[in-house]
Structures are given as structure tokens and as C-alpha cells.
């Protein structure tokens, strides 16, 4: 099969729509179930590249949760702590496979953004991962294969219409890629940059101590940025992205957006949030929404009389600004990646507030000296990769 007809393009009025191989060869994907759309395939192909590279760089199974052609989360398959299992709503599933842990982390980093995601898995989808996927709101999944039990579980999702795509893991695309905009063809060489240890060797700060865990997190940050709509910034900790800021015209806005998401990830682990008592039967998405509002400035929307009773068994105490600041101070040793240079040191100041200790960025700004000076002030380690990672 060298062509798949789609219902429509990005929007229902954009017809006809298809994916196909220009050279007449077979497509490297098989639709096992459902009818994936134009955006589904964009998410699937970007997500697959991301997880394939993550596994190659770390040796660990990888997963990503994509929305609107950018990852909401990406992670490798490290075991979950009891706290992470609880805030990701998987503590009732028992011990999970490494691949399932990777998806739990990818989905759990920013659950608000991951709602209705398209999933990419680096390895054959197993039953543990399928059980996790089955109960989340998701549009589809792409993987190199599926066990029989996983297929049986996923086929029951969305009344049998869940999108399940299998990709040939040995497929190698052409070195030159093309796309059309306004009837005009753009052509460029594929971004085949290898994110490895050599790329992270140019340490420009006074502090030059990067532990192995931080090197892995740097690789995760940069590979994630490689498939995130630019401008983009990514915060990583413990083998997973914890905050991704995508598609902002200003880099400081990316840093702030991603930093706020990283802060929310950490706040979810606070006693105030972990201790929330939800009413019986409240779904995961409704719990996520309630937590997001409770942690934010509009907390009164879920705490006022007549509203809190819909969500909580017991009315929660206000999570004060002072309490949040004190809790956030405990988030340390975070890694930050940027797809292009930081033009001002304000990015470093904002990163510090979210516990960043390690930074990977291209360098090359006329104000590099001021950015390095800000890192040295806080004892941060910063690497200049010399490579920009724009993705559009």
C-alpha cells in the first residue's frame, strides 16, 4: 500500500486529503484499526522519530504524548516512585513494565495538555501499556508492534474505533525532505543530528560537573526539542520532560510557559495536593482539571460554596502563595534544554526559580557572556552544543 486516503486535512473543509509515497513504494505504516486523520499522522510520525531517537540515545524504552504536532510529554522507562504512580493515576495498576512506565511519565508530566493525545512507543506495545492507554482519553497510538493481549485491549477502546498504527522500525526515509506551502515546494536535508555525549562536551561555566543522570536528561531535552514546534524550551528531571514550552515567538515566554508546567508537576507532589479527597466517581480528567485550578490563581473557582462539593469530600484549605513557594524550593537538579540560544539572562533567572541546575543550549548570542555570568552566579552547569534545533 503506497497511499492512504484521509477523511480531510487539518480542517474538514480541506479536501481531498491523503498520505502517500511519491516514489511509488509502500508506506512504512499499516493501519491495524481505526481511521487516522491528517493531524493524527503528523503527530504519529513526529512522535515515532522522537521515541526512536530517545531509545537509541539512552538504551531505554521511550514514549511520548503528542498534541497538535508538539509533545506534551516524553520519557524513558525508569521505574515510578510511589508518589509519581499516585499523581499519574496508575497506583492501582501494580508494578508496570518499563514501556508502561515510560508512557505513564510522558502522559503524567502535563496531563491537561495530554488529554486526547496521540501516543508513540519505541517498543512493541505490551499488555501493561495497553491497560494504561485503554483508560485514558487518547486519539491513537503508533508502535513497531503489539502483543495479542495489547491488541485485544486496544481494539475495545472508543467503541472499536481507536486508531492503532504499526510502523516498520527499519524504515529509513530519504535524505532530502520536501513540503509545499502556498503551492511552492520547500526542500531541505533531514535533521539527522545525533544527540550524543560529544555534543554535550563544551562546558562553558565555572562548574563543570555533570552527573550521568543529568547527561541523560540533557539528551532527553534536546531530542524532545528536535520534534517540538519552535521556539521551544524543555525542562527535564529523572528521565522525563516535566515542562515543555512550544511555539512561542519570544524565548523568555517559552521559558516561563515550560517553567510553569514544571512547577505544576512539582506542586502535584505536595502534601496539599496529594491530600485532596475527591468525591467517589470523579473521573481522572475532572480530577486533573480540579487540581490545575486549585494550584493556580483562580483557586476560588473550585473552593467556593456550591462548587467544592461537586469535586471534594472535604473542602480543601487554600494552597497559599507562601506554601507553594516553600514547596517549589525543594525542586532541584532540573535540566533545561533550549532549541536556540538564550538572548538574555532573564531566561536563566526564570529557570533558577524552577530548580534548574543543568542547561544545554546552542550558544552564539552576542550576550553569551551575560548568560554564562548568570549561570555562574547560581553554580549552574551550562553546555554550548553549537547546534540549533528549530522544528517547523
Amino acid at each position: 500500500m503506497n497511499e492512504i486516503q484521509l477523511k480531510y486535512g487539518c480542517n474538514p473543509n480541506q479536501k481531498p486529503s491523503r498520505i502517500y509515497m511519491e516514489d511509488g513504494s509502500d508506506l512504512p505504516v499499516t493501519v491495524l484499526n481505526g481511521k487516522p486523520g491528517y493531524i493524527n499522522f503528523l503527530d504519529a510520525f513526529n512522535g515515532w522519530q522522537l521515541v526512536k531517537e530517545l531509545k537509541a540515545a539512552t538504551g531505554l524504552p521511550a514514549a511520548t504524548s503528542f498534541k497538535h504536532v508538539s509533545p506534551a510529554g516524553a520519557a524513558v522507562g525508569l521505574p515510578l516512585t510511589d508518589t509519581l504512580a499516585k499523581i499519574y493515576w496508575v497506583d492501582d495498576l501494580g508494578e508496570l513494565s518499563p514501556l508502561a512506565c515510560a508512557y505513564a511519565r510522558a502522559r503524567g508530566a502535563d496531563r491537561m495538555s495530554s488529554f486526547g493525545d496521540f501516543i508513540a512507543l519505541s517498543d512493541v506495545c505490551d499488555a501493561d501499556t495497553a491497560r494504561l492507554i485503554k483508560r485514558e482519553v487518547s486519539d491513537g497510538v503508533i508502535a513497531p508492534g503489539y502483543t495479542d493481549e495489547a491488541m485485544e485491549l486496544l481494539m475495545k477502546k472508543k467503541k472499536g474505533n481507536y486508531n492503532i498504527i504499526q510502523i516498520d522500525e527499519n524504515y529509513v526515509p530519504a535524505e532530502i525532505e520536501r513540503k509545499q506551502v502556498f503551492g511552492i515546494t520547500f526542500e531541505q536535508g533531514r535533521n539527522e543530528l545525533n544527540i550524543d555525549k560529544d555534543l554535550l562536551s563544551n562546558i562553558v561555566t565555572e562548574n563543570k560537573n555533570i552527573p550521568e543522570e543529568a547527561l541523560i536528561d540533557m539528551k532527553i531535552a534536546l531530542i524532545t526539542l528536535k520534534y517540538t514546534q519552535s521556539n521551544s524550551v524543555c525542562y527535564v528531571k529523572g528521565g522525563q520532560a516535566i515542562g515543555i514550552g512550544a511555539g512561542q515567538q519570544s524565548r523568555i515566554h517559552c521559558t516561563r510557559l515550560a517553567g510553569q508546567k514544571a512547577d505544576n508537576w512539582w506542586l502535584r507532589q505536595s502534601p496539599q495536593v496529594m491530600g485532596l479527597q475527591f468525591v467517589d466517581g470523579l473521573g481522572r480528567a475532572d480530577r486533573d482539571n480540579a487540581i490545575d485550578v486549585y494550584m493556580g490563581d483562580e483557586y476560588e473557582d473550585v473552593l467556593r460554596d456550591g462548587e467544592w462539593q461537586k469535586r471534594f469530600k472535604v473542602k480543601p484549605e487554600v494552597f497559599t502563595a507562601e506554601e507553594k513557594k516553600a514547596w517549589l524550593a525543594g525542586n532541584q537538579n532540573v535540566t533545561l534544554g533550549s532549541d536556540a540560544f538564550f538572548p538574555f539572562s532573564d531566561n536563566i533567572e526564570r529557570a533558577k526559580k524552577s530548580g534548574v541546575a543543568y542547561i544545554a543550549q546552542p550558544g552564539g548570542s552576542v550576550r553569551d557572556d551575560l548568560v554564562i555570568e548568570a549561570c555562574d552566579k547560581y553554580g549552574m552547569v551550562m553546555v554550548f552544543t553549537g547546534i540549533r534545533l528549530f522544528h517547523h
Side-chain angles (χ1 to χ4, degrees):
M1 179 184 293
N2 73 345
E3 177 179 310
I4 296 175
Q5 293 289 334
L6 307 177
K7 191 173 180 180
Y8 51 76
C10 284
N11 299 291
N13 64 297
Q14 292 178 268
K15 300 175 183 179
S17 177
R18 62 174 175 156
I19 63 169
Y20 67 102
M21 300 298 285
E22 250 184 335
D23 62 3
S25 62
D26 286 340
L27 283 162
V29 292
T30 303
V31 178
L32 302 180
N33 195 66
K35 294 182 179 179
Y38 191 97
I39 296 173
N40 292 150
F41 275 115
L42 288 175
D43 285 343
F45 294 148
N46 278 283
W48 166 249
Q49 293 175 85
L50 194 163
V51 297
K52 185 178 182 181
E53 290 190 31
L54 274 187
K55 184 176 182 181
T58 66
L60 296 166
T64 186
S65 170
F66 252 72
K67 281 286 293 290
H68 295 292
V69 205
S70 278
V76 294
L78 297 174
L80 298 172
T81 64
D82 291 343
T83 296
L84 291 180
K86 185 172 181 179
I87 70 170
Y88 297 161
W89 311 126
V90 298
D91 51 320
D92 62 322
L93 294 178
E95 186 175 351
L96 295 172
S97 69
L99 186 64
C101 287
Y103 180 60
R105 288 174 175 275
R107 174 82 185 203
D110 181 4
R111 287 186 58 85
M112 295 287 288
S113 296
S114 286
F115 185 83
D117 64 350
F118 207 96
I119 302 158
L121 306 173
S122 66
D123 290 38
V124 171
C125 181
D126 56 23
D128 278 359
T129 310
R131 286 190 193 95
L132 200 164
I133 293 171
K134 186 175 182 295
R135 65 189 200 174
E136 298 288 5
V137 177
S138 169
D139 275 359
V141 58
I142 185 170
Y146 302 84
T147 67
D148 290 343
E149 189 177 357
M151 275 298 295
E152 185 179 350
L153 288 164
L154 295 175
M155 290 279 286
K156 296 175 182 176
K157 190 171 173 62
K158 296 187 78 169
K159 299 180 179 179
N161 295 314
Y162 188 62
N163 293 315
I164 306 172
I165 301 172
Q166 182 170 342
I167 187 162
D168 177 3
E169 60 185 327
N170 297 313
Y171 167 69
V172 178
E175 294 180 359
I176 300 297
E177 59 186 15
R178 302 174 182 87
K179 70 176 180 179
Q180 285 194 338
V181 178
F182 198 50
I184 298 165
T185 300
F186 287 64
E187 180 178 282
Q188 65 176 355
R190 277 181 48 78
N191 187 357
E192 299 288 5
L193 177 71
N194 186 25
I195 308 293
D196 57 17
K197 200 168 185 178
D198 290 341
L199 193 69
L200 304 173
S201 60
N202 183 21
I203 303 173
V204 296
T205 47
E206 293 175 359
N207 185 352
K208 301 185 184 301
N209 180 31
I210 308 179
E212 187 62 32
E213 294 82 1
L215 283 173
I216 292 173
D217 286 350
M218 281 186 177
K219 292 177 184 178
I220 293 170
L222 296 178
I223 292 171
T224 299
L225 291 169
K226 195 176 172 186
Y227 299 101
T228 303
Q229 297 297 298
S230 300
N231 286 327
S232 57
V233 164
C234 180
Y235 292 69
V236 178
K237 184 172 182 176
Q240 69 170 94
I242 61 172
I244 300 171
Q248 303 301 303
Q249 291 80 6
S250 165
R251 187 150 305 275
I252 184 59
H253 289 164
C254 278
T255 305
R256 290 170 184 163
L257 175 61
Q260 183 58 59
K261 292 184 177 186
D263 290 349
N264 285 349
W265 174 81
W266 187 251
L267 288 171
R268 282 192 70 145
Q269 301 174 58
S270 67
Q272 289 87 340
V273 176
M274 296 279 286
L276 293 173
Q277 299 179 48
F278 295 101
V279 296
D280 296 337
L282 193 68
R284 283 182 299 280
D286 289 321
R287 282 179 269 170
D288 290 330
N289 290 338
I291 289 171
D292 190 69
V293 177
Y294 173 70
M295 295 188 303
D297 294 335
E298 308 296 328
Y299 60 86
E300 290 182 355
D301 288 352
V302 294
L303 294 186
R304 64 173 176 262
D305 285 342
E307 289 297 324
W308 71 263
Q309 294 93 335
K310 299 175 184 177
R311 302 166 178 86
F312 307 110
K313 293 179 179 178
V314 178
K315 183 178 181 180
E317 296 292 329
V318 173
F319 197 173
T320 67
E322 292 76 15
E323 290 171 331
K324 285 188 280 190
K325 184 177 181 180
W327 179 259
L328 288 171
N331 193 15
Q332 301 295 326
N333 297 319
V334 176
T335 294
L336 175 66
S338 177
D339 68 353
F341 63 66
F342 287 128
F344 300 101
S345 60
D346 54 357
N347 291 277
I348 307 304
E349 299 294 339
R350 176 59 189 87
K352 174 61 179 175
K353 294 177 181 178
S354 293
V356 169
Y358 309 100
I359 296 175
Q361 60 128 324
S365 168
V366 295
R367 300 178 184 84
D368 275 348
D369 57 337
L370 299 178
V371 175
I372 294 170
E373 182 182 327
C375 288
D376 286 339
K377 178 173 65 174
Y378 295 118
M380 294 177 178
V381 182
M382 185 163 63
V383 168
F384 278 0
T385 66
I387 298 293
R388 197 177 73 179
L389 294 171
F390 278 178
H391 180 64
H392 293 288

